[in-house]
């Protein structure tokens, strides 16, 4: 009887170990995404295709879309500046609205806001000026809005570094308990940054 019980105990431990192994395998399979399942050549090809697509989209945006919009709104000074700013500066407002409503919005609404913010942010990145973009002739007021948003996107690394330093200083001086900013506060900062770019395009770049 003792031997049979010991055998059942060993079998039970074996079953639990097998179940644990299966659980770890399932978690590992779930953690692997479609990109990691590609071969090395597949990953390299996909990255290269993405770079080519990004360059093509940048050329299309600056060579066709931005000039075409400028030809429509270029004669209206204030409107043309705002419309030009929307390409890059509007992305910060879209991301800010997502942050402000992240914790309070319904899942479906949050999903739509996230899609809009991601697409708009991609357009903003494509607006970063290059030598090709600098050769495109645009109406002056419209140009001011476009370049205010575009340079705002290009300055994100510097602006983010300055914002993190200021936040760390505020946490230390004001003894803020929550050391990490909330979605809402980050959202309002992004909206304010986008609005600042619009003011910049309406004043400094037009002087």
């Amino acid at each position: 009887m003792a031997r049979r019980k010991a055998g059942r105990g060993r079998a039970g431990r074996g079953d639990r170990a097998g179940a644990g192994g299966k659980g770890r395998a399932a978690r590992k399979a779930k953690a692997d995404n479609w990109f990691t399942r590609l071969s090395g050549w597949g990953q390299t090809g996909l990255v290269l295709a993405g770079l080519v697509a990004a360059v093509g989209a940048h050329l299309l945006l600056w060579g066709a879309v931005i000039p075409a919009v400028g030809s429509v709104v270029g004669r209206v000074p204030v409107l043309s500046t705002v419309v030009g700013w929307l390409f890059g500066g509007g992305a910060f407002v879209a991301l800010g609205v997502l942050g402000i409503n992240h914790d309070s919005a319904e899942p479906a609404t949050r999903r739509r806001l996230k899609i809009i913010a991601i697409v708009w942010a991609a357009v903003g990145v494509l607006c970063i000026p290059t030598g090709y973009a600098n050769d495109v002739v645009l109406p002056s007021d419209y140009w001011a809005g476009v370049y205010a948003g575009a340079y705002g996107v290009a300055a994100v690394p510097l602006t983010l570094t300055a914002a993190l330093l200021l936040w760390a200083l505020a946490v230390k001086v004001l003894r803020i308990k929550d050391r990490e900013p909330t979605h809402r506060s980050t959202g309002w900062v992004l909206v304010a940054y986008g609005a600042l770019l619009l003011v910049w395009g309406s004043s400094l770049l037009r002087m």
Side-chain angles (χ1 to χ4, degrees), residues 110-123:
R110 185 167 60 246
R111 192 179 306 112
R112 287 193 292 269
L113 290 175
K114 186 177 294 186
I115 293 173
I116 293 172
I118 291 174
V119 173
W120 212 326
V123 173

Side-chain angles (χ1 to χ4, degrees), residues 57-74 79-95 116-129 133 136 138-139 141-154 156 193-194 197-198:
H58 173 78
L59 297 178
L60 177 64
L61 184 66
W62 279 100
V65 178
I66 291 178
V69 175
S71 65
V72 175
V73 301
L79 177 63
S80 63
T81 302
V82 174
V83 172
W85 163 85
L86 284 174
F87 285 100
F92 295 104
V93 177
L95 290 169
I116 293 172
I118 291 174
V119 173
W120 212 326
V123 173
V125 171
L126 295 175
C127 282
I128 294 178
V136 177
L138 301 172
D141 294 314
Y142 177 68
W143 171 88
V146 171
Y147 270 79
Y151 280 120
V153 175
V156 162
Y193 182 66
L197 294 177
L198 179 58

Side-chain angles (χ1 to χ4, degrees), residues 11-69:
R13 287 194 296 271
D15 292 340
R16 288 194 295 271
K22 291 179 181 178
R24 286 192 295 271
R27 287 194 297 271
K28 183 178 179 181
K30 187 177 181 180
D32 291 340
N33 54 40
W34 61 270
F35 185 78
T36 58
R37 290 196 294 269
L38 295 175
S39 63
W41 286 108
Q43 294 178 359
T44 303
L46 187 62
V47 170
L48 291 176
L51 291 175
V52 171
V55 172
H58 173 78
L59 297 178
L60 177 64
L61 184 66
W62 279 100
V65 178
I66 291 178
V69 175

Side-chain angles (χ1 to χ4, degrees), residues 147-168:
Y147 270 79
Y151 280 120
V153 175
V156 162
L158 180 62
T159 306
L160 180 60
T161 301
L164 290 176
L165 291 175
L166 289 174
W167 176 254

